[in-house]
Amino acid sequence: MVENATENAKAIYLFFRNKGWTAQAISGLLGNMQGESGIIADKDELGGGGGYGLVQWTPKSNLVNWANSNGLNYRTVETQCKRIQWELENGQQFYATTAYPLNFRQFTQSTQSPTYLASVFIHNYERPANPNQPQRGIWAEEWFRLLSGNDGGTVEKPHLYRAAIRNLSPQAAEILKTRFTQEMAENGKRICQSSDITINYRDNGSSAIVMINGIAEGVANWLQSIWINQYVNIEHLVNAESIYVEKTIQEVYKVEFRGLNLNDARNIRNELRRDYGNAGVRYMNNPEFITDGDGKVTIFNISLYNAAQLVPIFQDDYALKRKLLPSENIQGVKIS
């Protein structure tokens, strides 16, 4: 039977939606499958490289032996989806990187853009010699537009997040709030406003939660990891379960640069990652700064506060001083 890529994509989408993956994550996966196999399950690697299947397992025996041991036909879309889900549940194949620090579970639950998640998947799962393949992000966006209406309107909208530490004494919460305000707000990394750092008191005031609200998902996950190291492993202030990340209902924005030539777009993206990403003030992780192949650079999933700060800075630098584009081509846009 001849396989049809579109029908396969629909089956893959429904399989993983039923497993709780977001539409954005599945679209990022599909963008990569299109690059690897054309979304054809029974396909050997062109040129005899040893890969096989939707995501080109290498060696092929990784898939075949697993399928045989589970009484499954390795050539089918369903079996290969089950293998990917098994990899997720057993910590296989997908490894967070410095530039793309999501683990597999975080990837499947992310509502960041399909373009971004396609980049996450190629770097953390596929890991080819040349991971700079922006076409996969374009395909991911196409699959998202085509398929995300097929699940009864349950596709998640983008969210901002909070990182929080609970089970604190009121005194410890006040100390941490002061520390976070100095380090993360207007006079520090500027990932939030001072007013975004709050304390909630519980149990008649005997217990407290300190939280940083209105931040990007990647930043929230980063804060969680450094807090676990500092407040669990070093200071022994709380246990790891007391440090958590959750969604907020705040409005989400993006900043767009439009009408650039492709070389300027790539250069601007790299500068933004350097100055505002992992190595800079950490508005978010590097993958949130993307180019789309059409001369547009986008910073996804930030707060209104961050967007309002960044737009005039960018207009002054890239438009007025360097004259790479008109000021009106740099805008903050509400996306949820």
Side-chain angles (χ1 to χ4, degrees):
M1 179 179 178
V2 177
E3 292 186 65
N4 179 283
T6 299
E7 293 305 312
N8 284 354
K10 292 178 181 178
I12 292 163
Y13 182 86
L14 292 174
F15 179 94
F16 288 111
R17 280 302 271 168
N18 287 331
K19 296 295 184 182
W21 292 36
T22 66
Q24 291 89 336
I26 303 168
S27 299
L29 170 67
L30 286 169
N32 276 276
M33 287 180 172
Q34 187 161 348
E36 293 290 325
S37 63
I39 319 185
I40 300 299
D42 190 17
K43 185 170 185 176
D44 289 299
E45 185 175 353
L46 295 176
Y52 176 81
L54 292 168
V55 294
Q56 292 290 286
W57 283 274
T58 306
K60 180 178 180 178
S61 59
N62 287 347
L63 170 67
V64 174
N65 293 343
W66 177 87
N68 290 340
S69 68
N70 287 278
L72 301 171
N73 179 357
Y74 71 86
R75 295 183 174 87
T76 68
V77 168
E78 182 179 12
T79 291
Q80 294 183 24
C81 288
K82 288 180 178 179
R83 167 70 189 194
I84 293 170
Q85 186 68 22
W86 178 87
E87 290 169 343
L88 164 66
E89 294 168 356
N90 290 274
Q92 301 292 313
Q93 185 62 33
F94 191 109
Y95 303 104
T97 56
T98 300
Y100 295 83
L102 294 185
N103 62 35
F104 208 166
R105 182 68 63 182
Q106 290 168 335
F107 167 83
T108 68
Q109 299 305 299
S110 178
T111 56
Q112 297 183 70
S113 71
T115 301
Y116 160 49
L117 293 174
S119 293
V120 173
F121 196 84
I122 193 173
H123 282 82
N124 294 2
Y125 184 99
E126 297 290 355
R127 302 189 297 279
N130 175 23
N132 184 23
Q133 300 184 39
Q135 181 63 45
R136 298 191 182 203
I138 295 171
W139 286 327
E141 295 288 350
E142 291 172 350
W143 286 118
F144 182 75
R145 287 191 291 271
L146 179 64
L147 298 175
S148 61
N150 290 347
D151 51 13
T154 60
V155 178
E156 297 178 66
K157 295 181 179 179
H159 287 273
L160 292 176
Y161 286 73
R162 69 169 57 94
I165 306 176
R166 59 190 166 204
N167 300 325
L168 294 166
S169 69
Q171 295 83 359
E174 290 289 347
I175 291 170
L176 291 183
K177 180 183 178 184
T178 299
R179 182 182 300 176
F180 296 160
T181 301
Q182 293 170 346
E183 294 175 350
M184 303 297 174
E186 292 88 346
N187 294 322
K189 289 182 176 292
R190 293 182 295 159
I191 65 173
C192 63
Q193 301 177 87
S194 298
S195 58
D196 291 324
I197 304 174
T198 60
I199 297 175
N200 285 353
Y201 294 96
R202 302 291 178 87
D203 302 323
N204 296 318
S206 64
S207 178
I209 304 171
V210 62
M211 58 188 71
I212 299 181
N213 302 288
I215 53 180
E217 181 182 11
V219 176
N221 290 330
W222 169 69
L223 288 173
Q224 182 182 38
S225 68
I226 64 171
W227 289 352
I228 288 174
N229 183 59
Q230 181 65 36
Y231 301 118
V232 177
N233 300 333
I234 297 176
E235 296 188 24
H236 307 293
L237 184 64
V238 293
N239 58 34
E241 289 72 29
S242 297
I243 299 176
Y244 62 98
V245 168
E246 64 183 5
K247 297 172 184 175
T248 73
I249 59 172
Q250 293 165 277
E251 295 176 337
V252 186
Y253 284 75
K254 61 183 176 181
V255 173
E256 294 182 337
F257 296 67
R258 301 190 184 102
L260 293 160
N261 67 56
L262 294 183
N263 187 59
D264 285 342
R266 286 191 292 267
N267 289 338
I268 288 174
R269 179 202 61 193
N270 292 338
E271 289 177 8
L272 294 174
R273 288 179 173 179
R274 178 196 68 202
D275 295 338
Y276 297 94
N278 292 0
V281 297
R282 268 198 180 274
Y283 281 106
M284 61 201 61
N285 287 312
N286 281 353
E288 291 286 11
F289 302 87
I290 68 163
T291 59
D292 68 355
D294 291 322
K296 183 169 74 174
V297 178
T298 306
I299 309 174
F300 278 102
N301 298 343
I302 61 176
S303 66
L304 174 60
Y305 167 71
N306 287 159
Q309 285 189 95
L310 292 175
V311 167
I313 293 172
F314 296 156
Q315 288 174 335
D316 181 64
D317 186 5
Y318 294 105
L320 300 179
K321 292 180 180 177
R322 297 163 62 176
K323 302 187 185 304
L324 297 178
L325 72 171
S327 293
E328 59 267 23
N329 283 17
I330 304 175
Q331 298 182 355
V333 180
K334 181 180 174 182
I335 58 177
S336 76

